[in-house]
Amino acid sequence: MTNDKSLRLIVDGSLVEFFAGDNALVALLRAGLHPSQGGCLCLAGDCPHCLATVDGVSYVRTCQVAARPGMVIKRHPSDAPPPLPVGDCPGTDIIARHIYCDVVVIGMGESGRAAAAEAQRDGKDVITLDAAAGQEVIGIYPGPLVVARTRDGMADVHPHGEIVVATGAAEIHPVAPGNHLAGIVTARAATRLAVAGIDLGRVVAIGTPPEGIAVEQAAGELVRFDGVDRVEAVVMRNENGSERKIECDTVSIGLGLCPRDALLRMGNGLAVRAVGAAARTSDIPACPRAGTVCHCAGVTVDDLESVRARGFHELELVKRATLAGTGTCQGSVCLPYIRSFLADRGESLQPPFTARPVTRQLTVGEAAASSYHQATPRTALDGEHRRLGAQMERAGGWWRPWSYGDTVGEYWAVRKGVSIGDVSTLGKMLVSGPGALELLERLYPTKVATLKPGRSRYVLLLNERGYVLDDGLICRDDKTRFTLTFTSGGSSFAELWVRDWAESWRLDVRLLNQTMSLGAINVTGPLAHELLARAGVGDPPQYLHHRTATVTGILCRVFRLSFTGEVSYELHHSVADSVTLWRRLLRLGADLGIKPHGVEALLMLRLEKGHIVVGQDTDFDSTPRRINHEWAVKLDKPDFVGRQAILRTDKVPLDRQLAGLEMEGPAPAEGALIWKGSDYVGFVTSSVFSPVLGKAVMLGWLKLLEGELPAELTIVGRPARRVPTPFYDSEGSRARA
Amino acid sequence: MSFHIPCPNCGARAIEEFVYGEIVVVPDSITDPDERNLDRAFIHGNPEGPTSERWFHAMGCQRWLTLRRDTRDEQIILTAR
Amino acid sequence: MPELKLFHGTRIVATPAALDTAVWPQDALALRLAPDEVFVTPAITADIVDDQHAIVAPDAGFAGAWIVPDEALEFLQRSCEWELPLERPAFAQGAVAGLPVKLWLEDDRVLFLVPAPYATDLEERMA
Amino acid sequence: MNEFIERNVRLSWHAAKRSYEVVIVGGGGHGLATAYYLATRHGITDVAVLERKYIGAGNTGRNTTVIRANYGIPEAVRFYQRSLDLYASLEEETGRGITHRQKGLLWLAHSETGIRAERARAELNTAFGAGTEYVGPDEIKKICPQLDMAGGGVWPILGASYHPGGATARHDRVVWTYAEGAMQRGVHIHQRTAVTGLIMDGDRVTGVETAAGPISAGAVVSAVGGHVTALASMAGLRLPIRTHPLQAFVTNRYGLGFDPIVSSSNLLFYASQTAKGEMLLGAEIDRQPSYSYRSGHHFLQSCGHRAMTLLPFLRNLRVLRQWTGVCDMSPDYSPVMGKTGVGGFYITTGWGTWGFKAIPVGGEQMAELIATGETPDLIAPFSLDRFARDRTMADRGSAGTH
């Protein structure tokens, strides 16, 4: 070991030299500094006395990190926890690597090396994780999964076989007055410090002496440590009761061993085995008379006595009432003493606390390594919307254009001219097979058999509670083949639902979810016919019909329906063609004043028509009756999902219903409360000022009062009325034009 | 809690790749159709011990599988397609 | 990492037996997504599958790219929480970087496929 | 010096009797509060609380201590506001410290639809007595300067509802305060006493079986968490309850400096700083029903990742410990309280992720029910028979996180 002058680190702003091979703790001690002002040091990662802030990370065990030139160490404040970081903590993303093997051995001491060698002799693929090599295991999880922090990121090790815990045993620390002083070390730490060339001065050994050091052995029972900041003497009591004071510079502590078995206990029920000292039972030290038991939380023997005397007898309650064992070392130091204390006071020797992750600490950034946000899908037209300056929003689980900047202009393009909208987010599913008709008859509350090929029908989807799950279309392609559509929000759920029922009824069907394979563009407005004619479709399908057609040279399935209240054609096509189709439609309609419309305009348009949005206007206990959609439910059909629930709930008087509302003046915010005099009767679910009607139109929940829906209401302090829907074009002639 | 589910189509995958599905069992002792529906709609067996359930492999084959799992310790006892 | 491109092909849903016995064109890659579903790229014609109720649909719903094995495995080691098959070639699917990814592993290249709506996310996460 | 050492509460244990007027099964917050209010409000002290482990060992001692009333339906807002008020006066009433801190709660929105939802929440809360206001980005930044308003470029913060009454209290101290208050007035609390059966006389519950023998009771109250389905089945009841794990983690202690409680509607995590200085982070329930208390690594990864996206200062904080509790979830995300249709048997369950918030009001109302035999108005909407009556209490304001 040579003293290279270039090896310097910074401690509390001052330069400190260190030797190659030093860990940060040794570097501090070499400079005559104690990382936490005092306390018995173990140099083994067990105790809380060498914690410091290293390179901006607090609570680092300095004995576990190699000293590095330029390393910045700040000692924690002596009287308070380290400060909460202010502002952002920039940092590079940490990577977690996944490693597969047969056997994991944790700890590379003698027993760990032996276990690894034995497994290798048996032809096993062995991964070893050794804290001394910077591979600190933070926990064992079901899987099983062993997670370790390493010097180049996190390692997630997945063993097919067993996990061997060879983490050895921790040394028991002293509990006596003065145990917070500097200069107290465990016997093993004393040996290591001597080897590192630290001058320990006069060493007094209590219990098992350190190896390789000349010491004065202190006999008897430990009474206290004397000194101001550093230990200057240790006081022992002989068998005859007399006290003896031994002057010293360092006290070496050899009071026994406690297995480092937290990982073993954490892995309880998994293929985990301990070997060597980790498998031993804990030495239980003599019950302490005085002094600090838990340094992390500052708990003394008196504190234990005080809570026990007030009825806290269970180990877990003592822990919770004092917080002993809840700090950084998670009971490593105090647990043997609390068990000893309670046993001494007449309780049975209670088992250790539950072992919970994490056993070695990691930062939140390290914990989050290789984690990803849930991705929000984008339609094939995402780039088009952004180029057009759209405000993109997450809506219904997708990125969608909320508005292109002129919502009212977009609205009028639909009402008076022609507009296109990206509805690729709709759920789309093909159903084929001899069992297809039966599947849909049993799944939907509508009569499917009467639906002719080439026709479509609006449908509700119910669950077994009779609540509305979703709405959409059933489109019949031929005798045994159907196309189903679902809302954007329902699309991720629809496949699970349909497949589950098809399997549960054992029906012979083929299902293909095409939600992510097909784009869909809605062409809507009184000039939609004209645009479609220009696009090559001179004879578009009638209302609620569908057929295949070539639109601007692109193969599409054309569904005629209407959500906006105007003539609408939904063009389903391969996502590979979305951009081309979109651009061609915009070009063909340029002189018609075509504009794309966003979600916000669409929500206005549909509200004028009184169309509900499942999830916005419905709640998760909305029956068809509550949303005024009983017309969509054919109870004279044989069984379908939700039928029995509707029969059951129909016997109960209705309590509330979704209703159309209107008022003069600006539209209240969605969520606005609805009052009948001073009685709360419900709230607004959808609300917009209708440009075409010149008043605010809304959907909202109303409670029935004495069996009647109230008609004259107050919303945001202004009078409002319950009115039938649709608000606009109540005969529906525009959509059928 | 995360554990692995052996997908018969794809192999063992973390539970986070799947969507949970309950298998509802209404006791035969309930015979009234409304009561059976009420039980089916709202009541859960919620057993402490082995239970049969469905999982949909959303991140993989997008198919359902059926398995038995012990709710006390998450041990998986049996899987089927 | 190369830019992900749409893969044109055919999605077929048919009885498992019909898919087991189908003979795909020599130059086609047939990925068995489920016992009753296959994605064949490039596109094929309908009459290959012996199931009159089969759904045979042209499909460009996957975006993907071929990656050299070293890059692919480096990325997978940090983004894939499940064990890759050892044999080659092999098909595998599951969460990769939090996305529903399909992999076709050959000795000298690996195909990554993801539903097109997640293409941007996969590109960002592979970068 | 550790200011958190419990220096006041005195627990006095008694030998078990063979008979009590009321037996409460479950020595968590709800069971102990029910005993406390029976004794203090109704003078009923011939009460035993039976706990299979130690008091507060279950979900009360595992929860993340958020107290709030910003729920999504009028019935729930009134109910939880009553709890908020009882919590705020509990220290004065008992002379014991529960480390009650009114912190304010921010519920963040990240989309247009999220903004609408938070505006609606504010409107409803305010009308029914739980102050909540909608706040824009500037105010959010003032309330919680640590937030990255750009949301890491992934989930920008566009608005929030702010609930000034949002508070925290130390869970164990709530348990001990109620336990001590009940014990002082003569209530018996028996730890390590698992109930193994219910004693029935015809279709009426008249007592409980324990390992130490039967105990007869005029009324039996189930206040258990996690095992309520099994207990109720002993009385022939089938419950609309599914038990799910809920996980959380804390960092080491740092100086106080994170004032509010922050919750994200899209990222489904929440964060607060405990009085001890630990940053406490939680997220949504695990989706599969389970009684396992084992913690998962994916939760730590994912919750840490999501939290760090909005609170980047968390990156270098060191994780201290993670743990798991179990939540009894009802189909409509509201509690299930009151009479059961089985004579002599009362239930308080369905506490999902909102049980700690309701401990005082839950105990107060259950006590009134048991003492008077009449269901109080505040809990009448939450009765078990509401599912059969098609009167579910669907509450989007409570779904699944905290």
Side-chain angles (χ1 to χ4, degrees):
Chain A
M1 208 177 291
T2 58
N3 189 358
D4 180 343
K5 296 283 185 193
S6 72
L7 296 179
R8 291 195 181 106
L9 46 72
I10 301 156
V11 180
D12 292 339
S14 304
L15 284 173
V16 165
E17 289 179 8
F18 66 92
F19 288 4
D22 280 359
N23 63 44
L25 173 58
V26 169
L28 282 160
L29 295 173
R30 201 182 288 290
L33 300 167
H34 191 291
S36 62
Q37 276 81 38
C40 174
L41 292 169
C42 69
L43 261 84
D46 299 312
C47 77
H49 299 301
C50 75
L51 297 172
T53 301
V54 176
D55 293 336
V57 178
S58 299
Y59 292 100
V60 170
R61 288 184 158 103
T62 50
C63 71
Q64 299 293 298
V65 292
R68 259 194 337 275
M71 178 180 259
V72 178
I73 299 176
K74 278 190 185 149
R75 291 191 285 182
H76 289 183
S78 57
D79 53 350
L84 203 62
V86 179
D88 297 357
C89 273
T92 49
D93 278 338
I94 297 153
I95 285 169
R97 289 190 173 74
H98 292 272
I99 301 162
Y100 297 86
C101 62
D102 296 321
V103 172
V104 184
V105 179
I106 303 165
M108 278 284 102
E110 198 177 315
S111 56
R113 286 197 304 273
E118 188 191 332
Q120 274 156 347
R121 269 198 307 279
D122 293 345
K124 300 273 171 52
D125 181 10
V126 179
I127 293 287
T128 63
L129 296 168
D130 187 16
Q135 299 148 341
E136 297 182 274
V137 173
I138 64 117
I140 293 177
Y141 295 94
L145 168 65
V146 180
V147 180
R149 189 182 54 222
T150 74
R151 284 171 187 158
D152 58 351
M154 301 299 294
D156 290 4
V157 186
H158 306 259
H160 301 123
E162 70 175 352
I163 299 164
V164 179
V165 173
T167 42
E171 293 171 277
I172 289 174
H173 282 230
V175 173
N179 63 353
H180 62 282
L181 296 170
I184 308 168
V185 296
T186 66
R188 289 181 193 161
T191 303
R192 286 191 198 172
L193 290 175
V195 169
I198 305 280
D199 181 9
L200 299 175
R202 285 171 301 168
V203 180
V204 169
I206 298 173
T208 311
E211 289 170 19
I213 309 175
V215 298
E216 179 178 347
Q217 190 72 36
E221 182 193 347
L222 172 63
V223 176
R224 66 176 186 273
F225 301 94
D226 278 350
V228 181
D229 294 321
R230 277 196 67 89
V231 66
E232 290 160 15
V234 56
V235 177
M236 306 296 290
R237 183 181 292 114
N238 294 337
E239 277 175 23
N240 61 17
S242 68
E243 291 187 359
R244 180 186 167 220
K245 183 169 181 170
I246 312 167
E247 302 208 337
C248 61
D249 301 303
T250 300
V251 183
S252 161
I253 304 291
L255 294 177
L257 296 174
C258 180
R260 291 193 195 101
D261 60 359
L263 290 170
L264 177 73
R265 290 184 281 126
M266 199 183 297
N268 180 29
L270 304 172
V272 182
R273 171 170 69 100
V275 296
R280 61 172 286 154
T281 53
S282 179
D283 291 331
I284 301 295
C287 177
R289 293 169 191 265
T292 299
V293 176
C294 167
H295 295 267
C296 300
V299 180
T300 64
V301 177
D302 286 348
D303 294 329
L304 295 182
E305 187 62 65
S306 138
V307 296
R308 205 205 74 87
R310 278 180 293 103
F312 294 83
H313 303 156
E314 297 263 345
L315 180 69
E316 280 286 347
L317 284 181
V318 170
K319 168 178 140 183
R320 287 165 178 271
T322 60
L323 299 185
T326 64
T328 304
C329 82
Q330 291 284 288
S332 274
V333 169
C334 65
L335 181 58
Y337 284 101
I338 304 174
R339 295 176 72 197
S340 163
F341 169 84
L342 287 173
D344 184 76
R345 297 301 191 274
E347 311 292 333
S348 57
L349 186 65
Q350 299 183 33
F353 317 136
T354 308
R356 294 187 174 127
V358 297
T359 50
R360 290 296 173 117
Q361 298 198 349
L362 75 174
T363 63
V364 175
E366 287 166 335
S370 287
S371 196
Y372 300 89
H373 287 297
Q374 190 179 347
T376 305
R378 298 160 203 265
T379 75
L381 295 170
D382 192 77
E384 298 300 297
H385 304 319
R386 288 172 200 268
R387 266 191 288 282
L388 289 165
Q391 174 196 345
M392 299 301 288
E393 282 286 332
R394 290 177 174 96
W398 289 75
W399 279 112
R400 301 188 71 184
W402 186 254
S403 164
Y404 298 89
D406 177 17
T407 298
V408 175
E410 295 162 30
Y411 163 92
W412 281 118
V414 177
R415 282 279 174 261
K416 293 201 160 162
V418 64
S419 173
I420 56 174
D422 180 6
V423 290
S424 305
T425 56
L426 291 171
K428 304 172 256 338
M429 180 179 269
L430 287 178
V431 184
S432 166
L437 178 62
E438 187 182 349
L439 171 65
L440 303 186
E441 287 286 17
R442 293 172 73 166
L443 205 52
Y444 286 98
T446 192
K447 285 182 184 164
V448 184
T450 57
L451 188 65
K452 296 191 176 73
R455 301 291 299 263
S456 313
R457 183 171 295 154
Y458 172 83
V459 284
L460 293 178
L461 201 56
L462 306 177
N463 64 17
E464 286 184 283
R465 296 172 180 165
Y467 299 160
V468 174
L469 276 181
D470 201 9
D471 63 357
L473 292 181
I474 296 182
C475 311
R476 190 160 198 172
D477 302 338
D478 61 36
K479 191 160 171 285
T480 58
R481 196 172 286 243
F482 297 83
T483 301
L484 311 178
T485 70
F486 306 90
T487 64
S488 309
S491 63
S492 62
F493 171 76
E495 179 172 13
L496 281 69
W497 183 253
V498 178
R499 280 193 190 283
D500 197 14
W501 284 110
E503 287 184 29
S504 138
W505 293 324
R506 299 176 189 281
L507 293 170
D508 185 9
V509 290
R510 326 276 177 273
L511 300 171
L512 178 62
N513 182 355
Q514 293 192 298
T515 304
M516 296 210 170
S517 299
L518 296 183
I521 295 173
N522 187 25
V523 180
T524 181
L527 300 179
H529 297 307
E530 168 66 19
L531 184 66
L532 234 57
R534 293 183 186 188
V537 189
D539 56 338
Q542 297 296 303
Y543 187 62
L544 290 179
H545 285 63
H546 59 92
R547 71 178 180 83
T548 301
T550 302
V551 185
T552 74
I554 290 165
L555 187 67
C556 291
R557 293 192 68 196
V558 183
F559 299 82
R560 180 155 175 202
L561 46 101
S562 184
F563 192 49
T564 62
E566 307 296 337
V567 172
S568 299
Y569 298 99
E570 226 168 76
L571 312 178
H572 292 205
H573 56 275
S574 165
V575 289
D577 297 325
S578 285
V579 171
T580 309
L581 180 60
W582 177 265
R583 289 181 181 175
R584 284 178 181 169
L585 290 169
L586 283 180
R587 201 178 320 127
L588 284 173
D591 62 313
L592 303 175
I594 193 168
K595 276 180 194 234
H597 63 269
V599 173
E600 190 176 28
L602 184 64
L603 289 172
M604 293 170 67
L605 291 156
R606 65 89 201 183
L607 181 53
E608 289 177 343
K609 289 296 296 175
H611 293 311
I612 59 161
V613 171
V614 173
Q616 176 174 338
D617 299 303
T618 66
D619 215 324
F620 52 84
D621 61 357
S622 294
T623 54
R625 182 171 63 153
R626 284 196 175 118
I627 61 165
N628 217 353
H629 273 55
E630 285 176 291
W631 54 269
V633 177
K634 306 299 175 198
L635 287 171
D636 55 344
K637 244 178 73 160
D639 203 18
F640 57 86
V641 176
R643 181 173 183 271
Q644 190 62 43
I646 288 171
L647 292 175
R648 172 173 57 79
T649 53
D650 274 354
K651 294 172 187 162
V652 178
L654 187 65
D655 58 338
R656 62 187 191 274
Q657 198 165 40
L658 193 69
L661 305 161
E662 62 173 35
M663 65 194 289
E664 306 307 318
E670 287 166 2
L673 305 185
I674 307 174
W675 304 88
K676 172 77 183 170
S678 58
D679 290 339
Y680 167 81
V681 290
F683 63 97
V684 172
T685 60
S686 292
S687 172
V688 70
F689 182 82
S690 164
V692 73
L693 301 172
K695 61 188 172 189
V697 297
M698 296 156 276
L699 290 174
W701 285 105
L702 295 179
K703 281 198 228 181
L704 278 76
L705 301 176
E706 291 162 3
E708 297 288 327
L709 275 182
E712 299 297 323
L713 305 154
T714 306
I715 304 174
V716 292
R718 291 188 276 138
R721 293 168 300 282
R722 177 170 58 82
V723 292
T725 58
F727 304 98
Y728 171 72
D729 183 29
S730 54
E731 298 79 35
S733 55
R734 299 183 66 85
R736 291 182 175 82
Chain B
M1 208 359 238
S2 51
F3 51 91
H4 285 79
I5 290 179
C7 172
N9 298 326
C10 304
R13 295 289 185 274
I15 185 183
E16 287 78 19
E17 295 201 6
F18 297 81
V19 176
Y20 169 80
E22 184 177 11
I23 296 178
V24 177
V25 181
V26 181
D28 293 339
S29 58
I30 303 176
T31 51
D32 176 78
D34 284 348
E35 280 181 35
R36 285 192 67 81
N37 172 257
L38 189 67
D39 201 270
R40 200 174 158 76
F42 292 107
I43 302 301
H44 304 287
N46 206 24
E48 293 178 54
T51 179
S52 294
E53 61 196 18
R54 306 262 282 161
W55 291 86
F56 183 80
H57 193 188
M59 282 284 182
C61 59
Q62 294 183 294
R63 295 297 183 275
W64 287 97
L65 61 92
T66 302
L67 58 76
R68 273 184 83 68
R69 177 178 61 95
D70 192 320
T71 61
R72 292 166 300 188
D73 58 8
E74 309 289 29
Q75 290 299 308
I76 287 165
I77 304 155
L78 190 72
T79 336
R81 202 163 262 163
Chain C
M1 293 286 178
E3 191 185 336
L4 302 189
K5 294 195 173 70
L6 293 183
F7 269 63
H8 290 263
T10 306
R11 268 306 244 288
I12 304 172
V13 182
T15 60
L19 295 182
D20 288 343
T21 53
V23 179
W24 313 113
Q26 285 235 315
D27 61 338
L29 184 59
L31 305 180
R32 192 73 173 264
L33 307 179
D36 63 348
E37 185 174 0
V38 67
F39 174 64
V40 189
T41 180
I44 57 157
T45 50
D47 49 10
I48 284 184
V49 179
D50 180 23
D51 175 2
Q52 58 164 324
H53 294 287
I55 296 171
V56 181
D59 191 288
F62 288 117
W66 291 96
I67 313 282
V68 296
D70 285 356
E71 273 182 45
L73 295 179
E74 195 279 329
F75 173 63
L76 288 168
Q77 198 187 29
R78 63 184 158 90
S79 63
C80 175
E81 290 183 43
W82 40 275
E83 196 166 11
L84 295 172
L86 297 174
E87 71 271 21
R88 297 289 182 274
F91 173 68
Q93 57 185 344
V96 172
L99 301 169
V101 167
K102 323 276 179 200
L103 298 172
W104 177 252
L105 303 130
E106 295 181 0
D107 283 323
D108 54 356
R109 57 181 191 163
V110 177
L111 175 63
F112 282 71
L113 289 177
V114 71
Y118 295 116
T120 310
D121 294 287
L122 184 60
E123 271 175 15
E124 283 173 8
R125 292 171 189 197
M126 288 178 94
Chain D
M1 184 61 189
N2 174 346
E3 65 193 288
F4 298 99
I5 292 173
E6 181 52 62
R7 298 187 190 280
N8 298 311
V9 165
R10 186 172 294 276
L11 304 175
S12 32
W13 308 98
H14 304 84
K17 296 195 300 175
R18 296 271 62 96
S19 171
Y20 292 92
E21 191 177 339
V22 181
V23 165
I24 297 168
V25 188
H30 279 277
L32 295 167
T34 301
Y36 172 84
Y37 289 110
L38 276 171
T40 57
R41 301 294 194 268
H42 305 283
I44 298 175
T45 57
D46 185 20
V47 176
V49 179
L50 309 182
E51 164 55 46
R52 68 181 184 130
K53 290 184 181 166
Y54 55 92
I55 52 172
N59 298 308
T60 310
R62 292 164 191 273
N63 88 93
T64 50
T65 77
V66 175
I67 299 164
R68 64 183 180 94
N70 57 343
Y71 280 74
I73 52 176
E75 296 85 350
V77 174
R78 283 195 205 103
F79 177 77
Y80 288 100
Q81 184 60 40
R82 171 74 185 154
S83 211
L84 214 65
D85 295 342
L86 286 171
Y87 259 129
S89 59
L90 189 60
E91 294 186 335
E92 196 185 334
E93 174 174 331
T94 59
R96 296 290 177 250
I98 59 165
T99 327
H100 183 268
R101 300 275 187 277
Q102 188 174 331
K103 298 183 150 193
L105 191 158
L106 273 176
W107 209 295
L108 304 172
H110 308 269
S111 67
E112 285 289 342
T113 44
I115 287 173
R116 292 177 185 201
E118 294 317 313
R119 282 189 192 281
R121 185 203 297 270
E123 172 109 12
L124 182 86
N125 289 179
T126 304
F128 292 97
T132 303
E133 56 181 318
Y134 182 79
V135 288
D138 290 347
E139 279 169 280
I140 295 172
K141 193 74 186 167
K142 270 184 218 147
I143 295 165
C144 185
Q146 288 98 335
L147 281 168
D148 173 13
M149 299 303 288
V154 190
W155 291 97
I157 299 165
L158 305 178
S161 64
Y162 181 58
H163 179 48
T168 58
R170 180 139 172 246
H171 47 19
D172 289 327
R173 286 193 156 165
V174 172
V175 169
W176 304 331
T177 296
Y178 279 123
E180 181 194 40
M183 285 169 153
Q184 278 173 349
R185 292 164 178 86
V187 170
H188 288 192
I189 299 173
H190 303 302
Q191 300 190 117
R192 304 279 165 198
T193 305
V195 168
T196 55
L198 293 177
I199 302 168
M200 306 286 293
D201 179 3
D203 54 3
R204 196 183 159 79
V205 173
T206 58
V208 299
E209 298 280 2
T210 74
I215 299 174
S216 63
V220 174
V221 184
S222 165
V224 303
H227 307 277
V228 65
T229 306
L231 185 69
S233 72
M234 297 171 189
L237 284 173
R238 290 172 60 73
L239 293 184
I241 296 293
R242 217 163 63 177
T243 302
H244 294 260
L246 181 70
Q247 307 193 45
F249 75 91
V250 285
T251 68
N252 279 275
R253 296 171 64 173
Y254 295 86
L256 296 181
F258 186 83
D259 299 331
I261 305 158
V262 169
S263 189
S264 162
S265 53
N266 288 99
L267 285 163
L268 294 177
F269 81 90
Y270 58 100
S272 66
Q273 188 174 23
T274 69
K276 285 186 273 174
E278 299 154 336
M279 286 301 299
L280 194 166
L281 292 117
E284 73 280 16
I285 58 167
D286 290 4
R287 294 155 307 168
Q288 79 286 3
S290 174
Y291 294 86
S292 171
Y293 280 152
R294 206 190 278 275
S295 294
H297 182 243
H298 184 270
F299 160 76
L300 185 64
Q301 265 187 310
S302 170
C303 181
H305 179 61
R306 288 180 275 164
M308 214 167 65
T309 302
L310 299 189
L311 297 167
F313 80 94
L314 293 171
R315 180 184 297 272
N316 282 343
L317 301 196
R318 280 201 143 184
V319 177
L320 177 63
R321 179 173 67 247
Q322 61 175 127
W323 71 94
T324 301
V326 296
C327 297
D328 298 320
M329 302 296 294
S330 61
D332 54 3
Y333 302 96
S334 288
V336 175
M337 306 175 74
K339 297 179 182 175
T340 59
V342 175
F345 188 58
Y346 301 86
I347 198 163
T348 174
T349 185
W351 288 115
T353 58
W354 42 90
F356 183 75
K357 297 148 191 61
I359 285 173
V361 70
E364 180 197 54
Q365 300 292 309
M366 287 302 290
E368 183 178 334
L369 165 65
I370 294 156
T372 65
E374 301 291 326
T375 303
D377 290 346
L378 212 51
I379 63 167
F382 302 115
S383 64
L384 176 60
D385 68 358
R386 68 179 184 265
F387 301 98
R389 291 190 292 110
D390 191 30
R391 293 292 182 267
T392 50
M393 290 282 118
D395 190 348
R396 294 192 211 207
S398 88
T401 52
H402 68 103

